[in-house]
Amino acid sequence: VTGVQTCALPICFVRRFNSLSEANYGIDQQLRFRNVVFKGNNNMGMYISANYGMTIEECRFYNFNVAMDLRWCMATVIDHCFFWENYIGINLDYDRFAGGSNSTSQSNHSIVQNCKFRNSAGDFANIKVHAASGIQILHNIFEGVQSGGDYDVYFDDNGSTVVKEVTISGNHVEHVPAIAAFYIKRSEEHT
């Protein structure tokens, strides 16, 4: 997919499955997005379920409630993208379809690198990770107004017994988030 996509629909790009068994048939399609500008109106840019090895490169996301909602998207690479004024820029989460759980359908081993994020007061997080292991958040720039969005990165293992690690390294925080630049919650019994 390339080009400029202005979207007034509730979700601009949707790929959804109803069950774990159904999702297993489509997980290896390896979607590719490159050089697309997504412009929203407090809606969702993309909701993608069940994908292994997707690449999103050199794209821009403006004014979404959630720019990218990725569910059971393993080994996704998000590289050189811009996220401007989104309530949540990237949401890496587990899928809640039939048979999905925080230990069977997570977005494990995805990478967010070389991206630029800007948010303002009232926004939640540039990157939200929920019950996903092996996530790498590397060499990004976080900016915006002082006392802007709540978090740059919000990571919660959701008590999953299979979430083992997250790597956050080499990022540049150029503003003061309302609560914290990086929030990491790991369940003690699983560390």
Side-chain angles (χ1 to χ4, degrees):
V1 178
T2 61
V4 176
Q5 304 295 319
T6 300
C7 184
L9 299 170
I11 305 173
C12 298
F13 187 90
V14 179
R15 177 188 154 100
R16 186 179 310 229
F17 295 95
N18 296 315
S19 69
L20 180 61
S21 59
E22 183 182 299
N24 273 318
Y25 287 106
I27 197 162
D28 289 327
Q29 286 186 332
Q30 293 187 306
L31 294 173
R32 301 283 187 249
F33 294 86
R34 179 170 225 183
N35 201 25
V36 182
V37 177
F38 293 91
K39 295 182 179 179
N41 186 19
N42 202 32
N43 50 349
M44 185 177 289
M46 59 175 65
Y47 179 99
I48 299 175
S49 173
N51 203 278
Y52 195 97
M54 175 173 46
T55 305
I56 303 167
E57 299 174 297
E58 301 169 1
C59 294
R60 293 176 182 241
F61 297 85
Y62 298 95
N63 303 313
F64 287 100
N65 183 42
V66 179
M68 282 185 206
D69 196 349
L70 307 179
R71 309 288 180 117
W72 203 30
C73 291
M74 297 179 291
T76 297
V77 175
I78 302 166
D79 191 18
H80 284 98
C81 294
F82 280 22
F83 296 85
W84 234 245
E85 305 299 341
N86 302 293
Y87 182 73
I88 296 174
I90 301 168
N91 184 46
L92 291 161
D93 205 341
Y94 71 94
D95 209 319
R96 289 156 180 84
F97 45 50
S101 73
N102 67 358
S103 60
T104 61
S105 59
Q106 318 92 294
S107 293
N108 293 342
H109 292 275
S110 293
I111 299 171
V112 180
Q113 63 187 8
N114 306 312
C115 295
K116 184 175 177 182
F117 296 87
R118 177 185 169 82
N119 64 14
S120 293
D123 293 335
F124 179 68
N126 289 306
I127 302 170
K128 179 178 175 254
V129 181
H130 193 238
S133 189
I135 301 300
Q136 294 185 37
I137 300 169
L138 310 169
H139 204 251
N140 300 287
I141 296 172
F142 299 103
E143 61 180 36
V145 299
Q146 300 304 320
S147 298
D150 293 348
Y151 305 95
D152 286 321
V153 177
Y154 183 94
F155 178 92
D156 184 346
D157 73 352
N158 189 238
S160 173
T161 58
V162 296
V163 173
K164 304 300 182 188
E165 73 275 339
V166 60
T167 302
I168 301 171
S169 179
N171 297 286
H172 175 74
V173 177
E174 193 173 290
H175 68 127
V176 178
I179 299 173
F182 305 104
Y183 172 89
I184 299 172
K185 179 183 173 203
R186 290 276 294 122
S187 301
E188 290 182 27
E189 63 272 13
H190 306 298
T191 56

